[in-house]
């Protein structure tokens, strides 16, 4: 339950909208219960008048018309205001989750499947609409309206008022609390299976071509059907809990009505209550139990809401695992980039030590120098580049820029000095232009064309009907994988950083384009420092120095076999 506390600050921020929604809900219930009560009074009074009794028809008929109108208006306002307040809350919460997600470091994010993160942002956030719409608002209105009706009943039939109050409390509080316990497991299962379904859908869309090529549709479909079955099973259990709630609700309402009839008729016989008033009170009692209907539905869904809140809280509570120092050191605009006796191993997945990927390595790259890191697949090239970017921290040794330890500086400052083209750099939804401008939002068209030429993509973009305004990204992309890669390369080259770190910059380029890119590298980076990891054969002038990673150690290929340490 404490997971739901994450909603408190959001409720506080939207309190005026929520209070208005509560007021509208209360007005709707009051008008509805009042309408039933007055109608009962009116009809019974009218019947008795027809049978020879005296009854003033004017006041009740005016009340019926007034309450009917009020009920229509307040019900409409209740729906509009209640849903609008809830949707705003959910939008706020989505913002909070997204802000928490982008604060995390890449290695923290890597623990989640992308489909699971999408599920947390969408399905889990949506599941929390239950809390206000189906639990808090109806509960508050039932208790307030119930208190008023108890007081009214107490004036005429005190014993029935007591039974009514107890029955209403049982229906609105005790039974929902009991249902909530019963709904916890199926709710969590429903939420988990909904997240699994989203993740499986994204996986199937992402890997569709490979799935078709490997004739794996049948297995994928079977897996999906298993998930659907699990989801349906969990939802059936939730529905059963809600049905159980409705039974108890009817029983509680029946007890309250019987008590009112029992004690009310005795009071009527004693001449202390008129027949029309008793009939009106009876209908009002029946009407108020209708408010508890949504609470039963809400209680049966609270298991999902609690589980969703837990999944969201896991993300919002976990701060970034790399913090800036309290007083970060200022970084110079330029300077040498150094690894000093660096040791690094990824965290062990099982018990025991994980092997060192980088074992006591040192490297100094002077301003303006271009250094290539070579090495077999899995040798640790990308890991080394990630340490330079401070996407990981070493377990031993230091990473320095201009003599300043990365851990003593603000991460944002560090990332302004060093730009990265990662191995799996993505295209974002948008045009070629918006994708490039991520590298430097201030860049003009001339700069964009310059880096496109450098990435050997200029001719292609010039040939597109919409040029720089061509749509790129997931849907409707007109780019091949190699062209998309070159666009990411152009984006990295555009960044105004002093150092450019390129991980496999020519992956996806044909041999001629690759050779042309490396031959022109000095020009493309305009004399800036470059550290690149590659499997390509480099032309002589492409870099000043080549080093090779082997067995966790770094070897300078220009002065082999010396180890850089
Ligand atoms: N996130 C990770 N968690 C655990 N181990 C990892 C992780 N990333 C890489 N490794 C391991 O670290 C080692 C070095 O990987 P790295 O990606 O740095 O190699 P690489 O030289 O860039 O390879 P390639 O040329 O294939 O890209 C590999 O053995 C790999 O299995």
């Amino acid at each position: 339950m404490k997971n739901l506390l994450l909603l408190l600050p959001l409720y506080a921020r939207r309190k005026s909208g929520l209070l208005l929604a509560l007021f509208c809900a209360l007005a709707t219930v009051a008008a509805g219960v009042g309408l039933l009560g007055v109608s009962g009074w009116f009809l019974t009074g009218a019947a008795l008048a027809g049978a020879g009794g005296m009854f003033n028809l004017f006041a009740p008929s005016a009340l019926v018309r007034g309450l009917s109108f009020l009920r229509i208006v307040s019900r409409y306002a209740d729906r509009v205001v209640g849903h609008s307040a809830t949707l705003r809350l959910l939008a706020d919460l989505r913002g909070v989750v997204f802000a928490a997600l982008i604060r995390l470091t890449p290695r923290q994010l890597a623990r989640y499947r992308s489909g699971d993160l999408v599920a947390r942002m969408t399905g889990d956030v949506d599941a929390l609409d239950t809390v206000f719409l189906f639990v808090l608002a109806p509960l508050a209105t039932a208790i307030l309206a119930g208190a008023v009706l108890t007081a009214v009943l107490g004036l005429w039939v005190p014993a029935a008022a007591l039974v009514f109050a107890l029955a209403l409390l049982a229906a609105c509080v005790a039974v929902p609390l009991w249902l909530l316990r019963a709904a916890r497991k199926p709710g969590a299962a429903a939420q988990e299976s909904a997240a699994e379904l989203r993740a499986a859908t994204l996986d199937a869309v992402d890997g569709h071509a490979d799935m078709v090529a490997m004739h794996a549709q049948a297995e994928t479909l079977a897996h999906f059907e298993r998930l659907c079955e699990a989801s349906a099973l969990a939802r059936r259990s939730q529905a059963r809990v809600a049905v159980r709630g409705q039974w108890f609700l009817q029983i509680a309402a029946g007890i309250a009505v019987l008590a009112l009839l029992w004690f009310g008729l005795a009071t009527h016989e004693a001449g202390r209550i008129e027949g029309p008033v008793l009939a009106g009170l009876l209908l009002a009692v029946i009407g108020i139990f209708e408010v508890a209907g949504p609470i039963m539905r809400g209680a049966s869904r609270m298991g999902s809401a609690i589980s969703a809140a837990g999944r969201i809280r896991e993300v919002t509570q976990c701060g970034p695992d790399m913090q800036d120092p309290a007083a970060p050191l200022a970084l110079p605009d330029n300077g040498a980039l150094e690894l000093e006796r660096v040791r690094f191993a990824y965290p062990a997945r099982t018990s025991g030590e994980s092997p060192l990927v980088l074992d006591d390595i040192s490297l100094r790259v002077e301003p303006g120098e271009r250094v290539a890191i070579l090495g077999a697949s899995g040798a640790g090239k990308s890991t080394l580049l990630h340490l330079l970017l401070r996407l990981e921290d070493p377990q031993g040794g230091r990473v320095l820029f201009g003599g300043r330890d990365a851990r003593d500086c603000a991460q944002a400052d560090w990332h302004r000095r060093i730009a990265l083209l990662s191995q799996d750099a993505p295209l974002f939804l948008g045009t070629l232009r918006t994708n490039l401008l991520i590298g430097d939002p201030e860049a003009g068209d001339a700069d964009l064309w310059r880096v496109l030429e450098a990435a050997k993509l200029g001719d292609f973009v010039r040939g597109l009907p919409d040029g720089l305004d061509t749509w790129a990204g997931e849907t409707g992309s007109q780019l091949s994988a190699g062209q998309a890669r070159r666009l990411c390369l152009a984006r990295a080259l555009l960044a105004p950083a002093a150092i450019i770190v390129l991980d496999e910059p020519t992956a996806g380029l044909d041999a001629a384009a690759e050779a042309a890119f490396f031959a022109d590298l000095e020009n493309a980076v305009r004399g800036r420092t470059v550290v690149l990891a590659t499997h390509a054969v480099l032309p002589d002038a492409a870099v000043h120095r080549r080093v090779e990673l082997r067995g966790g150690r770094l070897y300078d290929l220009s002065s082999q076999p010396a180890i850089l340490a």
Side-chain angles (χ1 to χ4, degrees), residues 373-413:
I373 318 271
L374 311 177
S377 176
K381 302 181 293 297
S382 302
T383 306
L384 187 153
L385 299 189
H386 284 183
L387 285 165
L388 292 179
L389 258 294
R390 217 202 155 194
L391 299 177
E392 300 279 358
D393 275 335
Q395 281 93 29
R398 300 190 299 165
V399 181
L400 306 151
F401 176 81
R404 300 274 153 88
D405 189 326
R407 282 170 289 208
D408 296 334
C409 306
Q411 291 169 74
D413 273 356

Side-chain angles (χ1 to χ4, degrees), residues 335-402:
L337 183 63
E338 287 174 83
L339 293 173
E340 192 185 87
R341 310 210 62 172
V342 161
R343 281 186 309 109
F344 179 80
Y346 285 100
R349 294 230 164 92
T350 51
S351 57
E353 296 230 326
S354 57
L356 280 177
V357 178
L358 304 175
D359 183 6
D360 198 21
I361 65 164
S362 296
L363 174 70
R364 182 181 167 92
V365 184
E366 298 296 339
E369 196 181 8
R370 294 188 301 284
V371 175
I373 318 271
L374 311 177
S377 176
K381 302 181 293 297
S382 302
T383 306
L384 187 153
L385 299 189
H386 284 183
L387 285 165
L388 292 179
L389 258 294
R390 217 202 155 194
L391 299 177
E392 300 279 358
D393 275 335
Q395 281 93 29
R398 300 190 299 165
V399 181
L400 306 151
F401 176 81

Side-chain angles (χ1 to χ4, degrees), residues 304-527:
S304 285
I306 291 170
S307 156
R311 287 164 46 82
I312 290 173
R313 206 149 171 255
E314 186 190 317
V315 175
T316 55
Q317 296 270 297
C318 116
D321 62 0
M322 260 187 216
Q323 302 284 353
D324 284 344
L329 295 182
L331 275 172
D333 287 337
N334 210 344
L337 183 63
E338 287 174 83
L339 293 173
E340 192 185 87
R341 310 210 62 172
V342 161
R343 281 186 309 109
F344 179 80
Y346 285 100
R349 294 230 164 92
T350 51
S351 57
E353 296 230 326
S354 57
L356 280 177
V357 178
L358 304 175
D359 183 6
D360 198 21
I361 65 164
S362 296
L363 174 70
R364 182 181 167 92
V365 184
E366 298 296 339
E369 196 181 8
R370 294 188 301 284
V371 175
I373 318 271
L374 311 177
S377 176
K381 302 181 293 297
S382 302
T383 306
L384 187 153
L385 299 189
H386 284 183
L387 285 165
L388 292 179
L389 258 294
R390 217 202 155 194
L391 299 177
E392 300 279 358
D393 275 335
Q395 281 93 29
R398 300 190 299 165
V399 181
L400 306 151
F401 176 81
R404 300 274 153 88
D405 189 326
R407 282 170 289 208
D408 296 334
C409 306
Q411 291 169 74
D413 273 356
W414 193 266
H415 294 145
R416 265 194 289 277
R417 302 297 185 281
I418 309 177
L420 169 73
L421 168 71
S422 63
Q423 229 171 19
D424 46 7
L427 278 193
F428 297 99
L429 284 183
T431 62
L432 301 186
R433 185 194 302 279
T434 55
N435 264 281
L436 287 170
L437 287 176
I438 292 169
D440 178 10
E442 307 291 314
D445 275 12
D447 298 314
L448 303 189
W449 286 113
R450 174 178 55 76
V451 290
L452 284 172
E453 296 300 348
K456 309 297 164 213
L457 202 61
D459 287 346
F460 169 73
V461 178
R462 249 189 302 278
L464 293 170
D466 294 325
L468 283 169
D469 296 314
T470 303
W471 188 254
E474 231 179 291
T475 48
S477 178
Q478 300 177 32
L479 272 62
S480 72
Q483 287 159 343
R485 178 80 184 148
R486 275 184 270 170
L487 191 71
C488 295
L489 172 58
R491 181 167 69 201
L493 294 175
L494 188 65
I499 297 171
I500 299 189
V501 170
L502 304 171
D503 199 348
E504 299 288 354
T506 53
L509 268 71
D510 57 54
E514 179 175 274
F517 170 76
F518 281 125
D520 187 40
L521 183 60
E522 182 176 4
N523 243 335
V525 299
R526 307 168 117 198

Side-chain angles (χ1 to χ4, degrees), residues 534-552:
T534 186
H535 291 286
V537 179
L538 293 170
D540 280 345
V543 291
H544 299 105
R545 211 148 44 102
R546 294 148 213 256
V547 295
E548 184 181 350
L549 263 175
R550 217 184 308 138

Side-chain angles (χ1 to χ4, degrees), residues 114-315:
S114 51
D116 183 53
L117 288 178
V118 171
R120 284 172 208 249
M121 283 288 296
T122 53
D124 288 340
V125 170
D126 289 340
L128 291 174
D129 68 351
T130 299
V131 180
F132 181 77
L133 278 184
F134 294 100
V135 177
L136 293 182
L139 189 62
T141 45
I143 287 176
L144 283 175
V148 173
L149 191 57
T150 306
V152 174
L153 277 176
L155 288 178
W156 277 290
V157 200
L162 184 67
V163 177
F164 163 75
L166 290 177
L168 190 68
L169 275 179
C172 294
V173 182
V175 173
L177 275 177
W178 171 70
L179 290 183
L180 203 145
R181 285 171 67 95
R184 235 177 144 142
K185 248 190 174 164
Q191 218 48 32
E192 291 292 339
S193 56
E196 285 283 335
L197 274 173
R198 276 190 169 81
T201 309
L202 281 182
D203 281 353
V205 170
D206 277 352
H208 185 251
D210 297 63
M211 185 181 71
V212 171
M214 292 180 188
H215 302 291
Q217 292 107 313
E219 288 84 19
T220 309
L221 195 62
H223 175 60
F224 200 79
E225 278 171 358
R226 275 196 300 279
L227 292 177
C228 287
E229 261 168 44
S231 172
L233 205 70
R235 291 201 184 280
R236 260 204 302 277
S237 307
Q238 279 184 303
R240 269 201 293 271
V241 171
V243 168
R244 236 180 288 162
Q246 295 298 340
W247 289 343
F248 283 104
L249 179 61
Q250 298 308 324
I251 291 171
I255 289 173
V257 167
L258 282 178
L260 184 54
L261 275 174
W262 182 267
F263 296 112
L265 286 175
T267 313
H268 178 62
E269 272 171 19
R272 291 199 303 274
I273 189 167
E274 289 174 25
V277 175
L278 182 58
L281 289 177
L282 264 175
L283 286 185
V285 165
I286 293 171
I288 212 157
F289 275 92
E290 277 181 20
V291 186
I295 303 179
M296 300 303 166
R297 272 206 303 283
S300 70
R301 291 194 212 159
M302 276 300 279
S304 285
I306 291 170
S307 156
R311 287 164 46 82
I312 290 173
R313 206 149 171 255
E314 186 190 317
V315 175

